[in-house]
Amino acid sequence: MSAAPRHAADAAAPAAADTIALGDTIRFRGADWVVTAFHGPRLFLDVAKPVEPGEPAEPLIIWQTAVTSAPDFAVRNRAAPRSTLPGRIGEFHALPRDVRKAAEKWERHVKEVLHQQAPNVPATTPPKPAFDPKSRTLRQRYQAKADQLTQAGAPVSAATVERKCAAWRKEGLMGLVDKRHLRTATSHGRVDGRVVDIVWEILDDERARGLSPGTLSRLIDRVEQTIRARYAHLLADPKTARGLVNSPATFYRLLERLGITAENAHTAAARHAAGSAISSARPGARRATWARWPGELVQIDTTGLDVLVLGDDGRVISVELTIAICVATRSIVGSLIVPKRVGRTGGTGRWLAGRATRSFDTMQVVAQTTAPLPARPGWAPETFMEGSDLPFEDLLAADPRFAGAAARPVIKPETLVVDHGSPFISADFTRACHSLGIEVREARLRTAADKAIVERAMRAVKTGFSQYLASYTHHRLDLRGKRVRKQPLWTIPQLQELFEQWVVLHWQQTPHGALRSPFTPGLRLTPNQMYAALVSLRGYRSTALAEQENRKLLPAVWVRVSRKGFQINNRTYNLGRGKLDPCRGSSGITAQQGRWEVHYSPDHPEVAWLFNHRAEPGTDPWIEVPFIHRRLLSDRWTEETWAEALNIHLAGGGSRRDEAAITRATAKLLRDLAVGPTPGSASPGPRPATVSRPSRPSLPSPAKPYAADMPPLDPDTVRPFRTLDRPAGELFDTPEPVRGAEQTLEDFLASLPGLHPPGPGPATPGDNNTNPAPPGGLPSDAPGSGRQGDEQ
């Protein structure tokens, strides 16, 4: 009686292998978990045994399908193995036609032996006597089918028929396929796999030691030396040495299959060491770059945009683009385009005045992730968040800054993945991220897989945005057009606005192959749709920064404060009436030799903020200090404008200490830039012979009706109109009755005294005009005369 239940339990084990019960201990992601609760399709898990000792044990809420489909999933408290699915029908249809026909033919024979109902055969049809399960045993039916096939010209044994029936029961139709057609060729052919491992081992050792790559022949020699030293006991026997000893031609074919050349040997080794993006089968393999919620992992990078633009100084320059992309939603949450000048001055070998991406620019990109993107005037209605897939009403209730915002989500990074570029490893960038609670994680050297998502996004920007712009250059010089510099050029602010519109209209609303919702796994989602699906799991919290917190994100400089204030880049900042006297002298910070901490914005350098660490508790430690000559600059100016004006001032023989003259040169440069380049004007520094501007329709010039048949005007011959001799108050505010109600206009004007104009010729003593006006002036301008408005 006990054998039957035990047999029944064993038979039911495979079917219940992937089920999870309350209280089960399971293996998931390298750790042991205890199932504590169920909530719909979600599991509540508590850590039973962490991966590393001392690691904090945090509970986990996750989809049940995500747990059961993990490669290392197992139920610890039950011995049931994981159930396996038979071969997919797509794999069968991918086989050659004759192989499929042979398998289908064997399936008909197997069904006949096992008395399984065949297609198009009624269920009431009795079986053949030789295969009747009521009168013949299973082994007798195996032998009967073998005899039948042998008589038909296909000799087989009863053991073969038995093997086919067992394979059909286990794997279905795929179990009857000839296994020779299921073999797949390896990347290394018939070469022993240990040789391939030695190839990667030698290349990894060269990368770790910092050696330069050599030719393929040197690599082959080192591989052969390692094989002879490591497998000397196997090379004596020809059978065991098969695959270990190969000809040079075989080695070259092997390296070609592995994608190794003399130029990219170390790059291929780094790519192989990083592993597949979904590899988790072998120990130590890297997992795919993935995130569970918005902001958990954000990647940031900078690259050239392959577009020529018109710089602020009228030169044709290249630009760089910096973007931040959320891994969980693939949303571009921050972007900035800056000029990139890489030309050199003639013969000096020094870089031309200009810049590329700085740490302050990268901090601006990070700051953009914490605030909504406002929609610009003139943008299409499709760019507004109100009509997009984002949960506008919920977000607006949580953060009023979403009113009038564009359809781009706000995602504050938790972990920021950066490369080893100087803007990302600078002290200012790291300090700003830490002040916002953002962890900065550096990618591995020469391992592009650590930032694969942002690298691929950069390629998509160039193919989806850059190549459709005028003055698009190719990243390869041999494919660059010959007349690119003669095309219309955009300015940097125009290009920035175009890119932000492209992100909102195209990138955020295009389905992405890597974005799948657990509710609709068969549909590809857009970044906005993925954000709307995931933000409900984590919620949204506004991260609006206060004014003091924003100042901490600005670049910091350390200065000495004197009676005249302090200087930043040849500019003096000071407050009147001795308001900076408490900060004169040493600050007491020995690490900075007694200097004071000052923050300023390179985009708005008209003011700086001095941080007084000696301020009393409860008082504002920030002191706003203006540039002493900022009133001479009415237009907006930047650090670059000041540097350009300084170069112009020094080129004209000016002194670096004359800040007022440099300020006036900056104001003149801003006026000249506002007018734009004119034919024959010479701008400072080298300039292309022709600069194409964006074409605009020219307005017709206004007509001049008196340009012809009009003699030149002589001021001495012009007689002004005489003023009234009576005050204006007597004309309109007199208590006398109105006169002339019945008169015509001519009679009324004739009744006014002194209104008749004098005749031609000089004035006589009897004339009423006692105060003649000077030539070309008004009568009231004469000496001793008073205007009517003054008399009132």
Side-chain angles (χ1 to χ4, degrees):
M1 296 297 293
S2 61
R6 185 166 55 248
H7 176 74
D10 295 341
D18 293 341
T19 60
I20 301 178
L22 194 65
D24 282 349
T25 302
I26 63 174
R27 185 71 175 173
F28 176 60
R29 293 183 185 172
D32 291 343
W33 305 80
V34 177
V35 181
T36 58
F38 289 92
H39 186 271
R42 297 183 179 89
L43 293 178
F44 287 70
L45 306 177
D46 279 343
V47 177
K49 182 179 180 182
V51 181
E52 298 179 1
E55 185 178 357
E58 297 182 358
L60 181 65
I61 303 176
I62 194 171
W63 293 92
Q64 180 176 348
T65 55
V67 174
T68 57
S69 61
D72 60 342
F73 167 77
V75 181
R76 291 292 195 183
N77 56 347
R78 283 183 288 159
R82 287 193 64 176
S83 60
T84 58
L85 297 176
R88 294 173 296 177
I89 194 64
E91 298 178 4
F92 179 77
H93 288 296
L95 297 173
R97 182 178 181 183
D98 55 340
V99 177
R100 287 186 280 115
K101 284 187 171 294
E104 292 171 350
K105 184 178 180 180
W106 261 112
E107 186 180 32
R108 290 192 294 269
H109 293 309
V110 168
K111 286 184 176 182
E112 189 176 18
V113 171
L114 301 178
H115 190 53
Q116 301 287 340
Q117 198 62 36
N120 302 324
V121 177
T124 57
T125 302
K128 295 181 179 180
F131 306 104
D132 190 356
K134 296 181 180 180
S135 59
R136 308 293 295 271
T137 64
L138 190 57
R139 291 195 175 277
Q140 290 176 346
R141 283 178 278 165
Y142 291 156
Q143 187 62 47
K145 176 57 68 175
D147 297 340
Q148 179 186 16
L149 294 177
T150 302
Q151 294 176 2
V156 294
S157 62
T160 301
V161 178
E162 182 181 1
R163 188 176 67 254
K164 292 289 186 181
C165 292
W168 183 82
R169 281 177 170 176
K170 183 179 180 181
E171 303 180 23
L173 186 59
M174 288 294 296
L176 304 177
V177 175
D178 191 345
K179 298 301 185 293
R180 293 174 294 181
H181 297 279
L182 299 179
R183 297 172 183 172
T184 57
T186 61
S187 60
H188 49 79
R190 296 185 179 181
V191 179
D192 196 295
R194 290 171 287 188
V195 178
V196 181
D197 295 338
I198 292 175
V199 171
W200 296 122
E201 178 184 343
I202 292 176
L203 291 178
D204 290 338
D205 180 69
E206 291 180 353
R207 291 175 55 244
R209 294 164 55 189
L211 303 180
S212 301
T215 61
L216 296 182
S217 60
R218 189 189 76 173
L219 176 61
I220 294 173
D221 292 341
R222 293 183 176 180
V223 172
E224 291 179 343
Q225 293 173 8
T226 306
I227 292 175
R228 286 194 295 268
R230 187 176 299 179
Y231 303 108
H233 62 286
L234 299 177
L235 300 180
D237 188 1
K239 293 184 178 180
T240 58
R242 182 179 303 172
L244 292 174
V245 180
N246 301 278
S247 63
T250 304
F251 266 115
Y252 281 110
R253 287 194 297 268
L254 171 65
L255 298 179
E256 182 180 0
R257 290 181 178 181
L258 297 178
I260 299 175
T261 63
E263 291 79 13
N264 71 337
H266 288 182
T267 304
R271 184 168 56 249
H272 177 267
S276 174
I278 57 175
S279 175
S280 59
R282 64 182 188 276
R286 71 175 285 274
R287 292 182 173 272
T289 301
W290 63 285
R292 295 165 292 180
W293 55 77
E296 182 183 13
L297 199 63
V298 175
Q299 298 180 3
I300 185 171
D301 195 18
T302 300
T303 188
L305 201 54
D306 295 342
V307 177
L308 295 179
V309 302
L310 188 66
D312 293 340
D313 54 359
R315 299 187 180 99
V316 180
I317 59 175
S318 302
V319 291
E320 282 186 346
L321 171 67
T322 302
I323 64 171
I325 185 169
C326 175
V327 174
T329 64
R330 299 301 197 272
S331 299
I332 297 179
V333 292
S335 62
L336 186 65
I337 299 176
V338 299
K340 176 185 177 182
R341 303 190 183 101
V342 295
R344 292 181 182 270
T345 56
T348 62
R350 302 177 63 183
W351 292 110
L352 192 67
R355 66 174 179 87
T357 304
R358 305 166 301 178
S359 60
F360 177 66
D361 301 322
T362 57
M363 285 189 291
Q364 291 188 73
V365 175
V366 176
Q368 288 181 23
T369 63
T370 64
L373 174 66
R376 307 292 198 277
W379 284 17
E382 293 80 7
T383 60
F384 287 86
M385 182 182 290
E386 186 174 0
S388 65
D389 295 324
L390 297 173
F392 172 71
E393 295 182 356
D394 298 337
L395 295 176
L396 182 61
D399 191 347
R401 296 180 300 169
F402 281 104
R408 192 190 74 179
V410 176
I411 302 175
K412 179 188 175 182
E414 297 180 9
T415 302
L416 201 62
V417 181
V418 301
D419 56 18
H420 295 264
S422 58
F424 300 109
I425 63 176
S426 63
D428 288 337
F429 179 79
T430 306
R431 174 182 51 81
C433 291
H434 288 173
S435 65
L436 294 175
I438 301 174
E439 177 188 356
V440 179
R441 181 186 303 173
E442 296 182 3
R444 293 172 291 180
L445 288 173
R446 298 181 296 276
T447 307
D450 289 354
K451 294 197 300 79
I453 294 177
V454 69
E455 296 282 357
R456 183 61 182 88
M458 285 296 190
R459 287 175 49 193
V461 168
K462 293 182 180 181
T463 56
F465 175 73
S466 298
Q467 68 172 345
Y468 294 100
L469 295 174
S471 67
Y472 163 71
T473 63
H474 204 279
H475 65 277
R476 290 176 50 183
L477 293 177
D478 56 331
L479 298 180
R480 182 170 299 180
K482 298 180 180 180
R483 301 182 181 274
V484 174
R485 302 178 72 89
K486 295 185 178 181
Q487 294 180 350
L489 301 176
W490 299 97
T491 61
I492 294 180
Q494 291 173 340
L495 192 61
Q496 177 74 32
E497 186 172 348
L498 286 176
F499 180 75
E500 291 176 350
Q501 291 186 69
W502 179 83
V503 169
V504 174
L505 290 175
H506 178 78
W507 181 270
Q508 294 295 131
Q509 302 187 29
T510 300
H512 198 286
L515 300 181
R516 308 279 178 166
S517 171
F519 305 103
T520 56
L523 299 179
R524 297 186 304 166
L525 303 182
T526 66
N528 283 347
Q529 293 172 347
M530 193 65 183
Y531 176 81
L534 295 180
V535 73
S536 59
L537 303 178
R538 298 285 295 182
Y540 173 81
R541 183 178 61 182
S542 176
T543 56
L545 302 179
E547 186 177 3
Q548 293 79 6
E549 295 175 338
N550 281 324
R551 292 170 184 170
K552 296 179 181 179
L553 303 181
L554 298 176
V557 293
W558 294 87
V559 300
R560 298 189 183 277
V561 181
S562 63
R563 180 179 57 84
K564 297 181 179 180
F566 57 87
Q567 280 203 340
I568 301 177
N569 295 337
N570 206 59
R571 295 186 306 272
T572 301
Y573 294 80
N574 196 5
L575 287 174
R577 299 179 181 178
K579 294 182 179 180
L580 281 183
D581 290 344
C583 298
R584 290 175 57 183
S586 176
S587 64
I589 303 177
T590 57
Q592 295 295 333
Q593 292 81 38
R595 291 175 293 185
W596 294 83
E597 181 182 0
V598 175
H599 294 255
Y600 80 103
S601 173
D603 291 340
H604 304 277
E606 59 269 11
V607 293
W609 289 272
L610 186 146
F611 183 79
N612 184 12
H613 65 281
R614 297 179 178 177
E616 296 293 335
T619 61
D620 188 7
W622 295 95
I623 303 175
E624 182 176 343
V625 186
F627 174 47
I628 60 175
H629 297 296
R630 67 171 180 172
R631 297 186 181 277
L632 298 178
L633 298 168
S634 57
D635 297 330
R636 176 181 172 181
W637 57 286
T638 62
E639 186 87 15
E640 298 169 356
T641 311
W642 177 269
E644 186 72 20
L646 176 61
N647 294 334
I648 298 174
H649 176 72
L650 296 178
S655 173
R656 186 180 293 270
R657 297 182 179 181
D658 193 353
E659 296 184 19
I662 301 174
T663 306
R664 286 190 290 269
T666 304
K668 183 179 182 303
L669 177 61
L670 292 173
R671 292 193 299 268
D672 294 341
L673 295 178
V675 174
T678 57
S681 63
S683 63
R687 191 171 187 169
T690 58
V691 177
S692 301
R693 302 297 303 274
S695 58
R696 298 180 176 87
S698 58
L699 298 176
S701 57
K704 298 179 180 180
Y706 303 106
D709 301 334
M710 190 72 179
L713 179 64
D714 186 5
D716 296 336
T717 60
V718 177
R719 290 185 175 275
F721 190 80
R722 293 179 58 193
T723 59
L724 297 176
D725 293 337
R726 298 181 59 185
E730 297 182 6
L731 295 176
F732 302 101
D733 298 332
T734 176
E736 300 179 359
V738 179
R739 297 178 300 171
E742 302 284 337
Q743 296 178 347
T744 62
L745 178 60
E746 291 78 4
D747 296 339
F748 173 73
L749 295 177
S751 65
L752 296 178
L755 191 60
H756 304 283
T764 60
D767 197 348
N768 292 332
N769 189 6
T770 59
N771 296 321
L778 295 176
S780 59
D781 295 335
S785 63
R787 298 197 182 190
Q788 297 294 334
D790 298 334
E791 294 180 2
Q792 296 181 9

